[in-house]
Amino acid sequence: MLREAFPLIRASSPALLERLCRGRGLELWPQFISGPEEEALLRDVEPGLYRKHYQRDHWDQAIHGYREMEKSRWSVQSESILQRLRDVAFPPGVPQLSMVHVLDLEKTGFIKAHVDSVKFCGDTIAGLCLLSGCVMRLLSEDNDVDQVDLLLQQHTAYILRGEARYRFSHQVLPDEESFFGGEKVPRERRISIICRNLPHEPGSELD
Ligand code: OGA
Ligand code: MN
């Protein structure tokens, strides 16, 4: 996985890249789904999304130009694609959120730097990228130098765990800033399908 993913990851230092990828904290799976699989997923999510309007005016929010839903019922084909994602993202037996998050960003939409709430999301975030490529930027919460850009192409799966999930914010760049190593990554409408696990419950283990 990692060798072919490396040209898709640009870190501010080789040591940082090594640290984030070691222990599978950061994983990219280019071409995780095929074109027909993307179509199957889109058939499942489009009807629900079309009923909603893109949210544009909440300037205090992390996400702009988006509509979203939580989805638990999927076609048999989509369910098997999602299971494949869960199988690479979560060890067997890890309690997962049954609702899958579907986020539809319009062409001008973007996601500002944020860390997913530790109240609602556990240590792993696994996303599938549909319809458009984008640049996801990870910024250290602890210093001003550690930064990683991920080229998330259409059909890619990405996984953020551990340090990449907790000690780095993530963002999806707006079209005008969407460059990867100097190359423009044009942003079109993009749909992401995100599986998360449940947060650790204090007291549920011996600590
Ligand atoms: C989020 C998020 C990333 C993506 O919804 O919290 O960071 O790939 N989404 O859409
Ligand atoms: Mn997020």
Side-chain angles (χ1 to χ4, degrees), residues 62-63 68 101-105 111-112 114-117 125-129 134 136 152 158 160 170-172 190-194 196:
I63 313 182
E68 68 183 338
H101 182 197
V102 180
L103 180 66
D104 176 352
L105 278 185
I111 306 178
K112 291 197 284 192
H114 69 282
V115 176
D116 281 21
S117 161
I125 300 168
L128 282 178
C129 306
C134 73
M136 178 176 277
L152 300 184
Y158 69 88
L160 305 177
H170 53 273
Q171 56 187 297
V172 169
R190 169 182 185 269
I191 293 179
S192 51
I193 297 184
I194 305 166
R196 298 179 169 93

mmCIF file of all heavy atoms in Angstrom, residues 62-63 68 101-105 111-112 114-117 125-129 134 136 152 158 160 170-172 190-194 196, ligand 1:
data_model
loop_
_atom_site.group_PDB
_atom_site.id
_atom_site.type_symbol
_atom_site.label_atom_id
_atom_site.label_comp_id
_atom_site.label_asym_id
_atom_site.label_seq_id
_atom_site.Cartn_x
_atom_site.Cartn_y
_atom_site.Cartn_z
ATOM 1 N N ALA A 62 -17.115 24.681 10.276
ATOM 2 C CA ALA A 62 -15.899 24.121 9.673
ATOM 3 C C ALA A 62 -16.088 23.825 8.181
ATOM 4 O O ALA A 62 -15.138 23.869 7.412
ATOM 5 C CB ALA A 62 -15.503 22.839 10.401
ATOM 6 N N ILE A 63 -17.321 23.532 7.774
ATOM 7 C CA ILE A 63 -17.543 23.088 6.395
ATOM 8 C C ILE A 63 -18.414 24.092 5.655
ATOM 9 O O ILE A 63 -19.389 24.609 6.204
ATOM 10 C CB ILE A 63 -18.211 21.686 6.364
ATOM 11 C CG1 ILE A 63 -17.491 20.746 7.340
ATOM 12 C CG2 ILE A 63 -18.178 21.110 4.967
ATOM 13 C CD1 ILE A 63 -18.031 19.325 7.350
ATOM 14 N N GLU A 68 -25.271 17.051 3.802
ATOM 15 C CA GLU A 68 -24.772 15.799 4.388
ATOM 16 C C GLU A 68 -25.911 14.982 4.926
ATOM 17 O O GLU A 68 -27.024 15.473 5.107
ATOM 18 C CB GLU A 68 -23.765 16.097 5.508
ATOM 19 C CG GLU A 68 -24.377 16.749 6.715
ATOM 20 C CD GLU A 68 -23.357 17.107 7.787
ATOM 21 O OE1 GLU A 68 -22.270 16.520 7.818
ATOM 22 O OE2 GLU A 68 -23.691 17.977 8.615
ATOM 23 N N HIS A 101 -21.408 8.451 7.491
ATOM 24 C CA HIS A 101 -21.526 9.884 7.201
ATOM 25 C C HIS A 101 -21.303 10.115 5.705
ATOM 26 O O HIS A 101 -20.288 9.682 5.163
ATOM 27 C CB HIS A 101 -20.477 10.619 8.036
ATOM 28 C CG HIS A 101 -20.500 12.100 7.897
ATOM 29 N ND1 HIS A 101 -19.451 12.898 8.291
ATOM 30 C CD2 HIS A 101 -21.434 12.959 7.415
ATOM 31 C CE1 HIS A 101 -19.738 14.171 8.061
ATOM 32 N NE2 HIS A 101 -20.941 14.230 7.521
ATOM 33 N N VAL A 102 -22.245 10.774 5.065
ATOM 34 C CA VAL A 102 -22.120 11.097 3.642
ATOM 35 C C VAL A 102 -22.047 12.611 3.529
ATOM 36 O O VAL A 102 -22.958 13.322 3.961
ATOM 37 C CB VAL A 102 -23.329 10.566 2.846
ATOM 38 C CG1 VAL A 102 -23.188 10.920 1.370
ATOM 39 C CG2 VAL A 102 -23.486 9.064 3.031
ATOM 40 N N LEU A 103 -20.943 13.111 2.983
ATOM 41 C CA LEU A 103 -20.734 14.556 2.894
ATOM 42 C C LEU A 103 -20.571 14.945 1.430
ATOM 43 O O LEU A 103 -19.683 14.452 0.740
ATOM 44 C CB LEU A 103 -19.484 14.941 3.686
ATOM 45 C CG LEU A 103 -19.116 16.419 3.692
ATOM 46 C CD1 LEU A 103 -20.176 17.236 4.428
ATOM 47 C CD2 LEU A 103 -17.758 16.631 4.343
ATOM 48 N N ASP A 104 -21.448 15.846 0.972
ATOM 49 C CA ASP A 104 -21.466 16.288 -0.425
ATOM 50 C C ASP A 104 -20.989 17.739 -0.454
ATOM 51 O O ASP A 104 -21.660 18.629 0.050
ATOM 52 C CB ASP A 104 -22.917 16.151 -0.923
ATOM 53 C CG ASP A 104 -23.129 16.661 -2.347
ATOM 54 O OD1 ASP A 104 -22.204 17.266 -2.923
ATOM 55 O OD2 ASP A 104 -24.246 16.462 -2.859
ATOM 56 N N LEU A 105 -19.787 17.957 -0.997
ATOM 57 C CA LEU A 105 -19.235 19.313 -1.097
ATOM 58 C C LEU A 105 -19.471 19.809 -2.515
ATOM 59 O O LEU A 105 -19.072 19.144 -3.480
ATOM 60 C CB LEU A 105 -17.721 19.291 -0.884
ATOM 61 C CG LEU A 105 -17.108 19.262 0.502
ATOM 62 C CD1 LEU A 105 -15.589 19.365 0.373
ATOM 63 C CD2 LEU A 105 -17.642 20.370 1.387
ATOM 64 N N ILE A 111 -13.529 22.403 3.407
ATOM 65 C CA ILE A 111 -13.570 22.060 4.836
ATOM 66 C C ILE A 111 -12.392 22.741 5.516
ATOM 67 O O ILE A 111 -11.239 22.519 5.141
ATOM 68 C CB ILE A 111 -13.486 20.533 5.048
ATOM 69 C CG1 ILE A 111 -14.571 19.814 4.239
ATOM 70 C CG2 ILE A 111 -13.589 20.197 6.533
ATOM 71 C CD1 ILE A 111 -14.509 18.279 4.357
ATOM 72 N N LYS A 112 -12.679 23.585 6.516
ATOM 73 C CA LYS A 112 -11.608 24.267 7.247
ATOM 74 C C LYS A 112 -10.959 23.296 8.241
ATOM 75 O O LYS A 112 -11.539 22.266 8.602
ATOM 76 C CB LYS A 112 -12.186 25.465 8.000
ATOM 77 C CG LYS A 112 -12.637 26.583 7.066
ATOM 78 C CD LYS A 112 -12.825 27.901 7.800
ATOM 79 C CE LYS A 112 -14.088 27.920 8.605
ATOM 80 N NZ LYS A 112 -14.464 29.243 9.111
ATOM 81 N N HIS A 114 -9.887 21.258 11.191
ATOM 82 C CA HIS A 114 -10.586 20.850 12.408
ATOM 83 C C HIS A 114 -10.078 19.467 12.823
ATOM 84 O O HIS A 114 -9.507 18.733 12.016
ATOM 85 C CB HIS A 114 -12.101 20.789 12.174
ATOM 86 C CG HIS A 114 -12.486 19.667 11.260
ATOM 87 N ND1 HIS A 114 -12.344 19.740 9.895
ATOM 88 C CD2 HIS A 114 -12.948 18.415 11.517
ATOM 89 C CE1 HIS A 114 -12.725 18.602 9.350
ATOM 90 N NE2 HIS A 114 -13.091 17.772 10.310
ATOM 91 N N VAL A 115 -10.318 19.130 14.082
ATOM 92 C CA VAL A 115 -10.087 17.771 14.579
ATOM 93 C C VAL A 115 -11.465 17.224 14.904
ATOM 94 O O VAL A 115 -12.251 17.881 15.578
ATOM 95 C CB VAL A 115 -9.196 17.787 15.846
ATOM 96 C CG1 VAL A 115 -9.040 16.377 16.402
ATOM 97 C CG2 VAL A 115 -7.829 18.394 15.537
ATOM 98 N N ASP A 116 -11.797 16.037 14.402
ATOM 99 C CA ASP A 116 -13.133 15.479 14.665
ATOM 100 C C ASP A 116 -13.350 15.345 16.175
ATOM 101 O O ASP A 116 -12.441 14.956 16.915
ATOM 102 C CB ASP A 116 -13.282 14.104 14.006
ATOM 103 C CG ASP A 116 -13.557 14.214 12.505
ATOM 104 O OD1 ASP A 116 -13.251 15.267 11.902
ATOM 105 O OD2 ASP A 116 -14.069 13.232 11.935
ATOM 106 N N SER A 117 -14.559 15.662 16.589
ATOM 107 C CA SER A 117 -14.911 15.651 18.010
ATOM 108 C C SER A 117 -14.560 14.316 18.671
ATOM 109 O O SER A 117 -14.953 13.249 18.182
ATOM 110 C CB SER A 117 -16.410 15.913 18.146
ATOM 111 O OG SER A 117 -16.842 15.493 19.415
ATOM 112 N N ILE A 125 -10.727 7.295 11.473
ATOM 113 C CA ILE A 125 -11.623 7.916 10.492
ATOM 114 C C ILE A 125 -11.253 7.315 9.138
ATOM 115 O O ILE A 125 -10.100 7.381 8.730
ATOM 116 C CB ILE A 125 -11.386 9.444 10.447
ATOM 117 C CG1 ILE A 125 -11.648 10.077 11.820
ATOM 118 C CG2 ILE A 125 -12.242 10.101 9.359
ATOM 119 C CD1 ILE A 125 -11.155 11.512 11.936
ATOM 120 N N ALA A 126 -12.225 6.708 8.462
ATOM 121 C CA ALA A 126 -11.942 6.066 7.168
ATOM 122 C C ALA A 126 -12.886 6.636 6.121
ATOM 123 O O ALA A 126 -14.107 6.527 6.264
ATOM 124 C CB ALA A 126 -12.115 4.559 7.287
ATOM 125 N N GLY A 127 -12.315 7.249 5.068
ATOM 126 C CA GLY A 127 -13.149 7.923 4.077
ATOM 127 C C GLY A 127 -12.932 7.398 2.669
ATOM 128 O O GLY A 127 -11.836 6.949 2.309
ATOM 129 N N LEU A 128 -14.003 7.453 1.883
ATOM 130 C CA LEU A 128 -13.941 7.126 0.451
ATOM 131 C C LEU A 128 -14.212 8.402 -0.329
ATOM 132 O O LEU A 128 -15.109 9.173 0.033
ATOM 133 C CB LEU A 128 -15.048 6.132 0.081
ATOM 134 C CG LEU A 128 -14.895 4.672 0.418
ATOM 135 C CD1 LEU A 128 -16.159 3.930 -0.029
ATOM 136 C CD2 LEU A 128 -13.663 4.114 -0.278
ATOM 137 N N CYS A 129 -13.464 8.623 -1.413
ATOM 138 C CA CYS A 129 -13.590 9.869 -2.179
ATOM 139 C C CYS A 129 -14.270 9.599 -3.514
ATOM 140 O O CYS A 129 -13.742 8.856 -4.341
ATOM 141 C CB CYS A 129 -12.212 10.468 -2.427
ATOM 142 S SG CYS A 129 -11.272 10.682 -0.910
ATOM 143 N N CYS A 134 -9.118 15.925 -4.560
ATOM 144 C CA CYS A 134 -8.959 17.107 -3.711
ATOM 145 C C CYS A 134 -7.630 16.987 -2.987
ATOM 146 O O CYS A 134 -6.966 15.950 -3.056
ATOM 147 C CB CYS A 134 -10.098 17.230 -2.697
ATOM 148 S SG CYS A 134 -9.997 16.034 -1.352
ATOM 149 N N MET A 136 -6.181 17.105 0.785
ATOM 150 C CA MET A 136 -6.450 17.164 2.223
ATOM 151 C C MET A 136 -5.158 17.557 2.912
ATOM 152 O O MET A 136 -4.111 16.948 2.668
ATOM 153 C CB MET A 136 -6.957 15.819 2.758
ATOM 154 C CG MET A 136 -7.204 15.844 4.261
ATOM 155 S SD MET A 136 -7.900 14.296 4.900
ATOM 156 C CE MET A 136 -9.637 14.562 4.552
ATOM 157 N N LEU A 152 -5.879 13.265 -2.567
ATOM 158 C CA LEU A 152 -6.982 12.300 -2.525
ATOM 159 C C LEU A 152 -7.656 12.311 -3.881
ATOM 160 O O LEU A 152 -8.466 13.181 -4.188
ATOM 161 C CB LEU A 152 -7.990 12.667 -1.424
ATOM 162 C CG LEU A 152 -7.472 12.723 0.011
ATOM 163 C CD1 LEU A 152 -8.621 13.015 0.983
ATOM 164 C CD2 LEU A 152 -6.772 11.426 0.396
ATOM 165 N N TYR A 158 -8.974 6.768 2.350
ATOM 166 C CA TYR A 158 -7.935 7.264 3.267
ATOM 167 C C TYR A 158 -8.323 6.898 4.696
ATOM 168 O O TYR A 158 -9.506 6.755 5.027
ATOM 169 C CB TYR A 158 -7.736 8.783 3.130
ATOM 170 C CG TYR A 158 -8.894 9.597 3.636
ATOM 171 C CD1 TYR A 158 -8.982 9.977 4.965
ATOM 172 C CD2 TYR A 158 -9.917 9.998 2.780
ATOM 173 C CE1 TYR A 158 -10.056 10.725 5.428
ATOM 174 C CE2 TYR A 158 -10.995 10.734 3.233
ATOM 175 C CZ TYR A 158 -11.055 11.102 4.559
ATOM 176 O OH TYR A 158 -12.127 11.818 5.027
ATOM 177 N N LEU A 160 -7.290 7.908 8.760
ATOM 178 C CA LEU A 160 -6.565 8.712 9.756
ATOM 179 C C LEU A 160 -6.733 8.031 11.111
ATOM 180 O O LEU A 160 -7.854 7.787 11.551
ATOM 181 C CB LEU A 160 -7.142 10.128 9.854
ATOM 182 C CG LEU A 160 -7.240 10.961 8.585
ATOM 183 C CD1 LEU A 160 -7.916 12.307 8.884
ATOM 184 C CD2 LEU A 160 -5.858 11.192 7.978
ATOM 185 N N HIS A 170 -7.351 18.295 10.098
ATOM 186 C CA HIS A 170 -7.427 18.016 8.666
ATOM 187 C C HIS A 170 -8.376 19.011 8.010
ATOM 188 O O HIS A 170 -9.283 19.544 8.644
ATOM 189 C CB HIS A 170 -7.836 16.561 8.394
ATOM 190 C CG HIS A 170 -9.090 16.111 9.075
ATOM 191 N ND1 HIS A 170 -9.102 15.605 10.354
ATOM 192 C CD2 HIS A 170 -10.381 16.085 8.657
ATOM 193 C CE1 HIS A 170 -10.338 15.280 10.693
ATOM 194 N NE2 HIS A 170 -11.149 15.576 9.687
ATOM 195 N N GLN A 171 -8.124 19.275 6.740
ATOM 196 C CA GLN A 171 -8.962 20.208 5.991
ATOM 197 C C GLN A 171 -8.969 19.790 4.523
ATOM 198 O O GLN A 171 -8.064 19.098 4.065
ATOM 199 C CB GLN A 171 -8.437 21.649 6.119
ATOM 200 C CG GLN A 171 -6.998 21.828 5.692
ATOM 201 C CD GLN A 171 -6.477 23.247 5.996
ATOM 202 O OE1 GLN A 171 -6.976 24.223 5.456
ATOM 203 N NE2 GLN A 171 -5.484 23.330 6.858
ATOM 204 N N VAL A 172 -10.004 20.192 3.803
ATOM 205 C CA VAL A 172 -10.048 19.971 2.351
ATOM 206 C C VAL A 172 -10.002 21.343 1.701
ATOM 207 O O VAL A 172 -10.846 22.208 1.966
ATOM 208 C CB VAL A 172 -11.318 19.187 1.940
ATOM 209 C CG1 VAL A 172 -11.493 19.202 0.427
ATOM 210 C CG2 VAL A 172 -11.233 17.740 2.445
ATOM 211 N N ARG A 190 -17.714 17.003 -4.861
ATOM 212 C CA ARG A 190 -17.063 15.833 -4.274
ATOM 213 C C ARG A 190 -17.952 15.245 -3.188
ATOM 214 O O ARG A 190 -18.494 15.989 -2.362
ATOM 215 C CB ARG A 190 -15.729 16.258 -3.662
ATOM 216 C CG ARG A 190 -15.065 15.204 -2.785
ATOM 217 C CD ARG A 190 -13.771 15.723 -2.189
ATOM 218 N NE ARG A 190 -13.070 14.688 -1.455
ATOM 219 C CZ ARG A 190 -13.237 14.457 -0.154
ATOM 220 N NH1 ARG A 190 -14.072 15.180 0.556
ATOM 221 N NH2 ARG A 190 -12.559 13.489 0.437
ATOM 222 N N ILE A 191 -18.087 13.942 -3.211
ATOM 223 C CA ILE A 191 -18.836 13.271 -2.145
ATOM 224 C C ILE A 191 -17.873 12.368 -1.394
ATOM 225 O O ILE A 191 -17.103 11.623 -2.010
ATOM 226 C CB ILE A 191 -20.014 12.452 -2.713
ATOM 227 C CG1 ILE A 191 -21.062 13.403 -3.312
ATOM 228 C CG2 ILE A 191 -20.646 11.572 -1.631
ATOM 229 C CD1 ILE A 191 -22.263 12.700 -3.939
ATOM 230 N N SER A 192 -17.882 12.477 -0.068
ATOM 231 C CA SER A 192 -17.088 11.536 0.730
ATOM 232 C C SER A 192 -18.031 10.692 1.572
ATOM 233 O O SER A 192 -19.093 11.153 1.995
ATOM 234 C CB SER A 192 -16.078 12.277 1.604
ATOM 235 O OG SER A 192 -16.715 13.289 2.335
ATOM 236 N N ILE A 193 -17.633 9.459 1.761
ATOM 237 C CA ILE A 193 -18.411 8.505 2.552
ATOM 238 C C ILE A 193 -17.483 8.045 3.667
ATOM 239 O O ILE A 193 -16.409 7.493 3.404
ATOM 240 C CB ILE A 193 -18.879 7.331 1.668
ATOM 241 C CG1 ILE A 193 -19.819 7.883 0.583
ATOM 242 C CG2 ILE A 193 -19.551 6.250 2.506
ATOM 243 C CD1 ILE A 193 -20.442 6.839 -0.320
ATOM 244 N N ILE A 194 -17.869 8.354 4.909
ATOM 245 C CA ILE A 194 -16.914 8.246 6.013
ATOM 246 C C ILE A 194 -17.425 7.295 7.097
ATOM 247 O O ILE A 194 -18.539 7.458 7.605
ATOM 248 C CB ILE A 194 -16.649 9.646 6.628
ATOM 249 C CG1 ILE A 194 -16.200 10.619 5.527
ATOM 250 C CG2 ILE A 194 -15.588 9.566 7.716
ATOM 251 C CD1 ILE A 194 -16.254 12.069 5.956
ATOM 252 N N ARG A 196 -16.639 5.751 10.890
ATOM 253 C CA ARG A 196 -15.897 6.071 12.121
ATOM 254 C C ARG A 196 -16.202 5.003 13.164
ATOM 255 O O ARG A 196 -17.227 4.336 13.089
ATOM 256 C CB ARG A 196 -16.319 7.449 12.649
ATOM 257 C CG ARG A 196 -16.028 8.607 11.693
ATOM 258 C CD ARG A 196 -16.502 9.924 12.310
ATOM 259 N NE ARG A 196 -16.039 11.098 11.576
ATOM 260 C CZ ARG A 196 -16.728 11.701 10.605
ATOM 261 N NH1 ARG A 196 -17.900 11.234 10.246
ATOM 262 N NH2 ARG A 196 -16.247 12.763 10.000
HETATM 263 C C1 OGA B 1 -15.503 15.644 8.256
HETATM 264 C C2 OGA B 1 -14.354 15.575 7.330
HETATM 265 C C3 OGA B 1 -13.428 14.754 5.270
HETATM 266 C C4 OGA B 1 -13.854 14.314 3.914
HETATM 267 O O1 OGA B 1 -16.651 15.508 7.805
HETATM 268 O O2 OGA B 1 -15.272 15.812 9.473
HETATM 269 O O3 OGA B 1 -13.278 15.924 7.734
HETATM 270 O O4 OGA B 1 -13.134 13.515 3.302
HETATM 271 N N1 OGA B 1 -14.525 15.092 6.083
HETATM 272 O O5 OGA B 1 -14.904 14.770 3.462
#
